[in-house]
Amino acid sequence: MNIKFRLILMNFMQFFIWGAWLLTIGAYWFQNKHWSGAQFGAIFSTMGISAIFMPALTGIISDRFVNAEKLYGIMHILGAAALFTLPLVKDPTTFFWVMLINMFFYMPTLSLSITVAYSALKRSNIDVVKEYPPIRIWGTIGFIAALWAVSLTHNETSPNQFYIASAISLALGIYSFSLPKCPPLLNKTTNKSLSSILGLNAFALFKTPRFAIFFAFSMLLGAALQLTNAYGDTYIHDFKNVAEYKDTIAVRYPAIIMSISQISETLFILAIPFFLRKFGIKYVMLFSMLAWVLRFGLFAFGDPAGGLWMIVLSCIVYGMAFDFFNISGSLFVETQTTPEIRGSAQGLFMMMVNGFGSLFGSFASGFIIDKFFTMADQSKNWHGIWLTFAAYALVIAVIFPFVFRYKHNAALKHAIETA
């Protein structure tokens, strides 16, 4: 089977699993279980807790001890078991612990999938910067397919979304063992320092100013990503409580409206090589921050009727906000580190984005929404919520150009131009 097709199938299933529940779990939580916002923030914090150490840990293991594709498969099989048990949970505390276990297994697969893909492409002498974005698009398509499947079958508030995710996770786990071999490379180096023996070489990247600042802002943008994932779908669902909006298409199929964000991703992923070549990682990240400001700001003023265009435009802008940060960031890490620490370096990036960033975004947003934007009848002031998030992204965008002084890297530019 063609290597690109095999990686396309891997990416499709990887993000189908996440798309089956990530944007609709809020609707399941608030519309079905009626549990609190603070408790929901804790549920979303499981991504952050697990991503703080699991991607880095599995990155070390794949760099030094176990083939990345085998570790990837094991994680998905174990994750499938955890997802299958979620619908059986009857209280928010137990739900937290089961979801945490699921995240222990799923979050490392985000960076492991990148490691497997980059390794397979390079071993086949295929240019990573040029060919990976079109392959990664199919992950976004998988996410969209999952959203549509859950929405059209009216499972947005149903526990069936977790059964769907579990089935695909099991299938991907089994399929992973057929992927190209991605053996550890760190054992082949002659460096016998303690950090090398323990597989901690990638942590030395924090000593480099450009990487330290890059990782810091990765964390802050990771928090912004967490906000839109956690509250976007339930925000539209809440319009059903307003008589003039309850029968609109957006309220009836909010997950489909939200899937416009992922459709937009497919276009912006293809634009990444051009923007990296033209502007470099610094300005690509700045564009992402400004896009987050628009994402939240448009949500603040939109509605499912006359203001539907704002919600749709917000979803379109999301493609730039997400891709220009996540995909470009992983390419930046790949081109600026050595192959021996590829897995652990990608794990560090994932740790900052989906670990510390997710944790910060989850707890802070849950507290702020409950404290300042939840009314006596438990309804939420979504206008204020989204404006607060927009202000947060704007502050980051203003500060970033002054502290990240990294110049457009010639090696990265050459790699893109010759792709």
Side-chain angles (χ1 to χ4, degrees):
M1 189 184 298
N2 179 278
I3 183 62
K4 293 183 184 178
F5 179 79
R6 296 171 72 185
L7 295 177
I8 283 171
L9 185 57
M10 177 190 76
N11 274 275
F12 182 89
M13 289 192 286
Q14 171 73 43
F15 287 92
F16 189 103
I17 297 165
W18 219 7
W21 65 266
L22 182 64
L23 301 188
T24 53
I25 189 174
Y28 173 76
W29 185 273
F30 292 110
Q31 311 294 327
N32 185 321
K33 294 298 184 180
H34 306 290
W35 292 329
S36 77
Q39 290 170 323
F40 182 65
I43 293 301
F44 256 72
S45 74
T46 59
M47 299 180 200
I49 294 171
S50 60
I52 284 175
F53 63 92
M54 285 301 292
L57 176 62
T58 54
I60 291 170
I61 294 172
S62 67
D63 280 341
R64 191 162 187 86
F65 302 109
V66 180
N67 280 27
E69 82 284 354
K70 293 180 180 178
L71 186 60
Y72 180 68
I74 293 170
M75 293 291 103
H76 273 301
I77 291 172
L78 294 174
L83 283 167
F84 191 82
T85 62
L86 272 175
L88 307 178
V89 175
K90 303 300 182 183
D91 65 273
T93 301
T94 305
F95 197 98
F96 169 85
W97 290 109
V98 177
M99 179 58 79
L100 180 61
I101 293 172
N102 173 54
M103 288 293 97
F104 279 162
F105 299 133
Y106 183 80
M107 295 310 292
T109 65
L110 294 173
S111 54
L112 283 171
S113 67
I114 294 173
T115 300
V116 171
Y118 287 173
S119 174
L121 291 173
K122 287 189 173 182
R123 283 174 174 268
S124 299
N125 295 317
I126 297 173
D127 189 277
V128 172
V129 176
K130 178 182 178 182
E131 300 296 342
Y132 179 69
I135 291 172
R136 173 58 180 77
I137 279 177
W138 286 91
T140 301
I141 293 173
F143 197 100
I144 296 168
L147 270 177
W148 281 60
V150 169
S151 184
L152 292 175
T153 57
H154 300 287
N155 282 311
E156 292 185 37
T157 61
S158 165
N160 290 336
Q161 58 189 280
F162 303 113
Y163 290 130
I164 294 171
S166 175
I168 301 302
S169 183
L170 178 61
L172 178 54
I174 296 171
Y175 170 73
S176 299
F177 288 91
S178 72
L179 291 170
K181 295 186 183 302
C182 183
L185 297 178
L186 198 55
N187 283 330
K188 296 181 180 180
T189 64
T190 57
N191 185 356
K192 297 302 180 182
S193 65
L194 179 62
S195 62
S196 176
I197 293 173
L198 297 176
L200 302 177
N201 304 58
F203 283 87
L205 295 173
F206 282 103
K207 296 180 181 179
T208 307
R210 73 174 186 272
F211 267 108
I213 295 173
F214 170 77
F215 283 137
F217 277 89
S218 294
M219 180 190 73
L220 295 174
L221 287 181
L225 174 61
Q226 193 69 2
L227 300 177
T228 195
N229 285 341
Y231 301 105
D233 190 68
T234 194
Y235 150 69
I236 299 179
H237 262 288
D238 265 5
F239 279 106
K240 77 178 187 303
N241 298 317
V242 181
E244 63 181 298
Y245 300 134
K246 66 178 183 179
D247 292 323
T248 59
I249 293 177
V251 173
R252 291 170 59 194
Y253 300 101
I256 291 179
I257 296 297
M258 293 298 292
S259 73
I260 296 173
S261 300
Q262 282 65 49
I263 295 172
S264 171
E265 275 190 57
T266 63
L267 300 176
F268 282 104
I269 287 176
L270 293 177
I272 286 174
F274 167 79
F275 277 88
L276 280 177
R277 180 179 67 246
K278 185 72 173 179
F279 301 103
I281 188 67
K282 176 178 180 176
Y283 287 102
V284 168
M285 287 187 69
L286 179 59
F287 295 156
S288 171
M289 295 170 192
L290 294 174
W292 280 119
V293 177
L294 286 175
R295 164 70 160 180
F296 297 138
L298 287 166
F299 264 174
F301 294 98
D303 64 65
L308 180 60
W309 69 269
M310 293 187 191
I311 294 178
V312 171
L313 183 57
S314 173
C315 292
I316 293 173
V317 167
Y318 172 86
M320 174 180 283
F322 180 85
D323 290 333
F324 276 30
F325 165 57
N326 278 48
I327 309 302
S328 296
S330 73
L331 287 171
F332 174 75
V333 171
E334 174 69 17
T335 57
Q336 299 299 303
T337 57
T338 61
E340 290 76 19
I341 61 170
R342 176 188 292 124
S344 46
Q346 292 293 347
L348 282 183
F349 178 55
M350 202 61 60
M351 177 185 76
M352 299 308 294
V353 177
N354 292 311
F356 290 110
S358 176
L359 199 61
F360 169 60
S362 296
F363 282 120
S365 63
F367 173 79
I368 290 172
I369 289 174
D370 271 2
K371 184 76 173 178
F372 302 106
F373 299 107
T374 299
M375 308 296 105
D377 62 356
Q378 296 304 304
S379 64
K380 293 174 176 57
N381 175 11
W382 288 111
H383 179 74
I385 290 171
W386 294 123
L387 282 182
T388 301
F389 294 167
Y392 165 78
L394 182 60
V395 170
I396 296 174
V398 170
I399 296 174
F400 178 72
F402 297 99
V403 297
F404 190 65
R405 299 184 179 276
Y406 175 66
K407 294 182 179 180
H408 193 3
N409 184 268
L412 177 59
K413 182 177 180 180
H414 176 72
I416 299 170
E417 288 177 342
T418 56

